[in-house]
Each structure stands twice: as structure tokens, then as C-alpha cells.
Amino acid sequence: MPKRYALFALLCITGSAIAGEAHQHGVAQMTVAIEGNTATIEFTSPLENLIGFEHAPRNDKERKVVQALKEKFQKPESLLIPTAAANCRADSVDLELPGDHGSDGHADLHATIMYRCKSPVALNAINLRLFDAFPRLDRIKVQLAIPGRQSAVELSRKRPTLSW
Ligand SMILES: [Zn+2]
């Protein structure tokens, strides 16, 4: 029973949570905008979901963890996989990691990834391998904007593909 109530509460807050920058461990936010031959993906996640800590790295081990995280996002084709037939390639990756961490002890990674597609007409899905790459990540609240339509969807480990 409690599980069902939790799910219900979740569905109710989804709309407003997407609009805000709610920092909730286990949950990340994403916007996907398709326009012409480009797909622009903005991803914001508590660092906790990605590396297990949110303080500035304190030692070599933690610095390596942060470096590995950056490298993962520099190769977004292994994290976010557009429809193969659309023939998309990552054109740019912009990563923001907090240099100085907030006084509340929480910190987010913000990534903007732009794909350019040779056959954009074929683009109708993006598989989010983020769930495989980051075991602490449970849900991603996605806002999708394609020409003429906007929608919000929540993806999870069991439902990792955004399609339209
Ligand atoms: Zn946090």
C-alpha cells in the first residue's frame, strides 16, 4: 500500500517538479528539444546520483572519479543513443560542474549535449543508457519539445527509452 501512495504522490508533483530545479537524490531532470537536424539535450542531476558524493574532491581518488565522470559525458554517444537510422553525432558537449560547492552541501552536474543528425526524419527515440552508467540514478523527468508538441514523461531503469 505505501508504495502505491508514493507513486500517486509522485505523479501529482511531476508537473511542477520538472519546471523547478528540484534537487532530489535518485532523480534527474532532462529537456530534449528537436529542431531541424539538431537534438539538444539538457541534463541536470545531483552529483550524488552520478558519483556518490557532492563535495569538492578531497583526494586523488575523488579527483579521478570526477575526471572519469567528465570523460563519460565527453562521449555522450554511449549515454544517450538516438535512433540509429537518424545517423546522429554529438556535435558539442557543454559540462558544468560546481567549482565551489553550495553551503547546503548539495551540488548538481549540468550538461548540454547537441546532436546533429543526417536523417532527422528518422529520429523518433533516444535510449538513455544513463541508468546503466549510473546505478544510483532511478528516474529522469524529461520534458520533450518537438515541433508542434511538448510533453513531459518520466523515465526509469525499467523504461529507459524516450520515444515520440
Ligand atoms: Zn544532494
Side-chain angles (χ1 to χ4, degrees):
M1 271 306 147
K3 233 178 191 175
R4 188 182 293 176
Y5 282 116
L7 179 65
F8 180 70
L10 197 73
L11 291 171
C12 292
I13 61 162
T14 298
S16 55
I18 282 175
E21 288 287 317
H23 180 104
Q24 189 183 351
H25 292 181
V27 183
Q29 320 275 334
M30 182 180 279
T31 63
V32 176
I34 312 289
E35 202 176 359
N37 67 340
T38 64
T40 306
I41 299 164
E42 284 193 65
F43 176 73
T44 302
S45 170
L47 276 176
E48 158 69 29
N49 298 344
L50 310 176
I51 55 176
F53 61 88
E54 298 191 338
H55 52 261
R58 290 170 182 153
N59 52 45
D60 279 351
K61 192 182 164 208
E62 291 183 351
R63 271 185 281 277
K64 278 181 187 159
V65 168
V66 171
Q67 186 56 34
L69 176 66
K70 288 181 185 170
E71 285 166 11
K72 271 185 193 170
F73 275 93
Q74 292 301 334
K75 295 175 199 147
E77 286 100 339
S78 59
L79 299 174
L80 301 153
I81 304 175
T83 317
N87 208 343
C88 305
R89 275 181 198 289
D91 203 48
S92 66
V93 177
D94 181 49
L95 264 190
E96 285 171 39
L97 274 135
D100 197 15
H101 293 248
S103 54
D104 65 351
H106 292 285
D108 292 302
L109 167 136
H110 185 73
T112 305
I113 296 151
M114 190 190 273
Y115 279 96
R116 221 172 269 284
C117 308
K118 282 187 181 157
S119 309
V121 174
L123 180 62
N124 62 8
I126 298 174
N127 182 234
L128 307 187
R129 292 282 168 83
L130 293 155
F131 294 110
D132 300 326
F134 306 110
R136 286 182 182 83
L137 184 60
D138 295 323
R139 292 181 282 126
I140 303 178
K141 294 174 178 176
V142 183
Q143 225 173 24
L144 172 69
I146 55 177
R149 184 154 72 92
Q150 282 213 5
S151 53
V153 60
E154 186 166 301
L155 298 179
S156 65
R157 204 159 284 283
K158 284 181 186 164
R159 191 190 168 201
T161 302
L162 175 70
S163 58
W164 58 93

